[in-house]
Amino acid sequence: AILTVCWVAGPSPTRAQTTVGSADIHLPIQNGSGLQLLVATEHTSPVLRVVLPGHPTSDRSIEILFPEHVTVVKQGQASGQQLYLFRPGRGGDRPRWRRSSGSLEYERDLGDGVHLLARATLEDDGVRFRYEVTNESPVAYDMIYAPTDPRLTSIFHDVRLERTYVHHADGFDLLASETPRRLTIPLDQWLPARYLVSFTWPVPAQRIEHRDDGITYYNKSRAVDVPFIATVSTDKAWVIASFARTAGNVWSNPELTCQHVDPQIPLAVGENAAMETKILVFQGSLSDALKKVDAQRQSLK
């Protein structure tokens, strides 16, 4: 199951890092292909924007909650506790962003002895997201969960999951291939929904679940062989794909066309640990995306 409530103290700024002030927080970082990464300043909560080459920095086609929330389970407890939750708009305290030549980062204390350092690094073919957590409390945590939440619009929006794929042992398949009626039923019968596929977790026996939150959960009948989910643009020129080294499952909220491949880790007293995911954004094919995943996945924490 997924949590539906929907990191070590970092280094001080060095000569290669500068604290981003309010006047220049909107300035993007750009890679060699022209892909840009910047802070979405209309939100106080940490949100990043990835902008395709040649598009204005106001383009909101790819916005990423960084993270959507941070939820923990203390050792010996059954239920989770939410230490942070994204809230839209300008309320609350803005984190103090730092910039280096290729990354944006911030850090903050989340309460209950949990300290977070969050870093997004722009690479040649996308963005690597890293959460470093330190447990400064006297209590161990059975689980730390900080989901990166890309929300896709414009050419990447895929509310019927017609261009969103996962990979099984026998090849690519549409995430929602086992629910063909999604293509023709009214949207108010299809939404709200979550579509889930197991990776390391057991495949749920129940294919469709109607939970108390009013959302319909669809569970695919077979597991994926890599924690990877990809969406092809409407013009078939671009692929955006999220992957991790490991995850319990992969899933999407089709209304937002989000991609979730989020790992969960334990954290002992005094321990620090890291979790990473990467989002590929490039011109190419699904096969190209899988080759990149195969080449890069083991480098992720």
Side-chain angles (χ1 to χ4, degrees):
I2 62 168
L3 284 172
T4 55
V5 287
C6 189
W7 274 87
V8 30
S12 300
T14 66
R15 292 179 184 177
Q17 294 178 318
T18 58
T19 299
V20 181
S22 59
D24 59 358
I25 194 173
H26 65 285
L27 296 177
I29 293 171
Q30 183 169 308
N31 69 9
S33 67
L35 198 69
Q36 297 183 84
L37 176 69
L38 67 152
V39 177
T41 55
E42 60 268 30
H43 303 289
T44 299
S45 294
V47 179
L48 297 176
R49 185 175 295 144
V50 177
V51 180
L52 300 182
H55 289 233
T57 56
S58 58
D59 185 350
R60 300 177 59 183
S61 299
I62 308 170
E63 289 198 332
I64 301 152
L65 309 191
F66 181 50
E68 179 187 6
H69 60 84
V70 179
T71 299
V72 301
V73 177
K74 291 182 179 179
Q75 192 172 64
Q77 296 187 358
S79 59
Q81 177 185 0
Q82 200 170 76
L83 301 183
Y84 165 79
L85 175 65
F86 163 77
R87 299 192 185 281
R90 297 180 182 271
D93 296 325
R94 187 183 299 278
R96 186 179 293 273
W97 288 93
R98 295 196 297 260
R99 176 198 307 276
S100 68
S101 58
S103 65
L104 291 166
E105 69 176 47
Y106 68 90
E107 58 183 303
R108 58 173 32 161
D109 290 317
L110 299 178
D112 272 22
V114 177
H115 186 86
L116 167 70
L117 168 63
R119 179 183 298 123
T121 302
L122 183 63
E123 299 183 345
D124 290 343
D125 53 5
V127 184
R128 182 180 298 236
F129 298 90
R130 179 181 178 90
Y131 302 102
E132 295 183 20
V133 284
T134 300
N135 182 4
E136 300 170 348
S137 80
V139 178
Y141 290 97
D142 287 337
M143 187 202 72
I144 305 279
Y145 181 50
T148 303
D149 185 11
R151 298 184 172 187
L152 309 180
T153 58
S154 185
I155 62 172
F156 296 109
H157 198 219
D158 186 22
V159 71
R160 302 275 188 177
L161 298 180
E162 298 175 89
R163 292 173 284 104
T164 297
Y165 293 84
V166 293
H167 194 272
H168 300 283
D170 60 352
F172 287 104
D173 190 26
L174 286 168
L175 170 65
S177 63
E178 296 179 357
T179 312
R181 67 185 186 90
R182 76 191 189 285
L183 301 174
T184 56
I185 60 175
L187 275 180
D188 63 357
Q189 295 179 31
W190 167 233
L191 303 174
R194 305 288 186 269
Y195 219 104
L196 304 88
V197 192
S198 295
F199 178 56
T200 60
W201 292 344
V203 175
Q206 192 171 350
R207 295 288 170 260
I208 301 176
E209 301 176 65
H210 300 281
R211 302 186 189 174
D212 293 340
D213 57 11
I215 298 170
T216 302
Y217 291 78
Y218 297 88
N219 296 304
K220 202 166 188 182
S221 66
R222 56 192 182 126
V224 293
D225 65 346
V226 64
F228 159 88
I229 182 170
T231 300
V232 179
S233 62
T234 52
D235 61 4
K236 297 181 172 57
W238 289 87
V239 175
I240 180 166
S242 299
F243 68 97
R245 185 168 187 163
T246 191
N249 64 2
V250 306
W251 62 276
S252 178
N253 171 352
E255 189 170 7
L256 301 174
T257 318
C258 62
Q259 299 177 346
H260 282 281
V261 293
D262 309 293
Q264 302 176 7
I265 60 170
L267 197 65
V269 175
E271 184 183 15
N272 66 69
M275 298 174 280
E276 291 185 327
T277 61
K278 182 167 179 180
I279 298 179
L280 299 168
V281 184
F282 72 101
Q283 289 183 293
S285 66
L286 289 172
S287 294
D288 294 332
L290 187 61
K291 289 177 183 177
K292 290 177 179 289
V293 172
D294 289 341
Q296 300 177 29
R297 182 178 155 210
Q298 295 305 314
S299 72
L300 296 177
K301 293 293 184 180

Short mmCIF file of all heavy atoms in Angstrom, two decimals, residues 19 60 72 115 131 140 148 154 169 193 197 235 267:
data_model
loop_
_atom_site.label_atom_id
_atom_site.label_comp_id
_atom_site.label_asym_id
_atom_site.label_seq_id
_atom_site.Cartn_x
_atom_site.Cartn_y
_atom_site.Cartn_z
N THR A 19 23.95 31.85 -1.43
CA THR A 19 22.57 31.90 -0.96
C THR A 19 21.77 32.74 -1.93
O THR A 19 22.17 33.83 -2.32
CB THR A 19 22.51 32.51 0.45
OG1 THR A 19 23.28 31.68 1.33
CG2 THR A 19 21.08 32.58 0.94
N ARG A 60 4.72 26.43 -17.18
CA ARG A 60 4.47 25.58 -16.03
C ARG A 60 4.17 24.13 -16.42
O ARG A 60 3.54 23.40 -15.67
CB ARG A 60 3.32 26.15 -15.20
CG ARG A 60 3.60 27.56 -14.70
CD ARG A 60 2.43 28.15 -13.95
NE ARG A 60 2.06 27.32 -12.79
CZ ARG A 60 1.04 27.57 -12.00
NH1 ARG A 60 0.26 28.62 -12.23
NH2 ARG A 60 0.78 26.79 -10.96
N VAL A 72 6.76 10.21 8.51
CA VAL A 72 7.62 9.27 9.23
C VAL A 72 6.76 8.32 10.04
O VAL A 72 5.63 8.62 10.40
CB VAL A 72 8.60 10.02 10.17
CG1 VAL A 72 9.48 10.97 9.37
CG2 VAL A 72 7.85 10.77 11.27
N HIS A 115 16.08 16.42 10.48
CA HIS A 115 16.66 17.51 9.70
C HIS A 115 16.75 17.09 8.24
O HIS A 115 17.16 15.96 7.93
CB HIS A 115 18.05 17.86 10.22
CG HIS A 115 18.65 19.06 9.57
ND1 HIS A 115 18.41 20.35 9.99
CD2 HIS A 115 19.46 19.18 8.48
CE1 HIS A 115 19.06 21.20 9.23
NE2 HIS A 115 19.70 20.52 8.30
N TYR A 131 17.33 13.73 -1.13
CA TYR A 131 16.91 14.11 0.21
C TYR A 131 17.85 13.45 1.20
O TYR A 131 17.91 12.22 1.27
CB TYR A 131 15.47 13.67 0.48
CG TYR A 131 14.46 14.23 -0.51
CD1 TYR A 131 13.97 13.42 -1.53
CD2 TYR A 131 14.03 15.54 -0.42
CE1 TYR A 131 13.05 13.92 -2.44
CE2 TYR A 131 13.11 16.05 -1.34
CZ TYR A 131 12.63 15.23 -2.34
OH TYR A 131 11.72 15.73 -3.24
N ALA A 140 14.20 5.98 17.08
CA ALA A 140 14.45 5.49 15.73
C ALA A 140 13.16 5.58 14.90
O ALA A 140 12.05 5.54 15.44
CB ALA A 140 14.95 4.06 15.77
N THR A 148 8.84 12.91 -4.17
CA THR A 148 8.98 13.96 -5.19
C THR A 148 7.77 13.86 -6.11
O THR A 148 7.45 12.78 -6.60
CB THR A 148 10.28 13.75 -5.98
OG1 THR A 148 11.38 13.74 -5.06
CG2 THR A 148 10.48 14.84 -7.01
N SER A 154 0.10 20.75 -20.14
CA SER A 154 0.41 21.06 -21.53
C SER A 154 0.68 19.78 -22.32
O SER A 154 -0.12 18.84 -22.25
CB SER A 154 1.61 22.02 -21.58
OG SER A 154 1.86 22.44 -22.90
N ALA A 169 8.59 -7.46 -17.47
CA ALA A 169 9.63 -8.37 -17.96
C ALA A 169 9.54 -8.60 -19.46
O ALA A 169 10.56 -8.88 -20.11
CB ALA A 169 9.53 -9.71 -17.22
N ALA A 193 -8.71 9.23 -9.29
CA ALA A 193 -8.18 7.86 -9.37
C ALA A 193 -6.69 7.86 -9.09
O ALA A 193 -6.01 8.88 -9.23
CB ALA A 193 -8.44 7.27 -10.77
N VAL A 197 1.27 0.13 -9.64
CA VAL A 197 1.89 -1.12 -10.07
C VAL A 197 3.00 -1.47 -9.08
O VAL A 197 3.87 -0.64 -8.79
CB VAL A 197 2.49 -1.02 -11.49
CG1 VAL A 197 2.84 -2.41 -12.01
CG2 VAL A 197 1.55 -0.32 -12.44
N ASP A 235 3.19 15.39 -28.98
CA ASP A 235 3.81 15.39 -30.31
C ASP A 235 4.83 14.27 -30.47
O ASP A 235 5.50 14.19 -31.50
CB ASP A 235 4.46 16.75 -30.59
CG ASP A 235 5.58 17.11 -29.61
OD1 ASP A 235 5.89 16.26 -28.74
OD2 ASP A 235 6.12 18.22 -29.70
N LEU A 267 15.51 4.95 9.65
CA LEU A 267 16.52 5.89 10.11
C LEU A 267 16.76 5.68 11.60
O LEU A 267 15.88 5.97 12.42
CB LEU A 267 16.09 7.33 9.83
CG LEU A 267 17.19 8.39 9.86
CD1 LEU A 267 18.21 8.16 8.75
CD2 LEU A 267 16.59 9.78 9.72
#
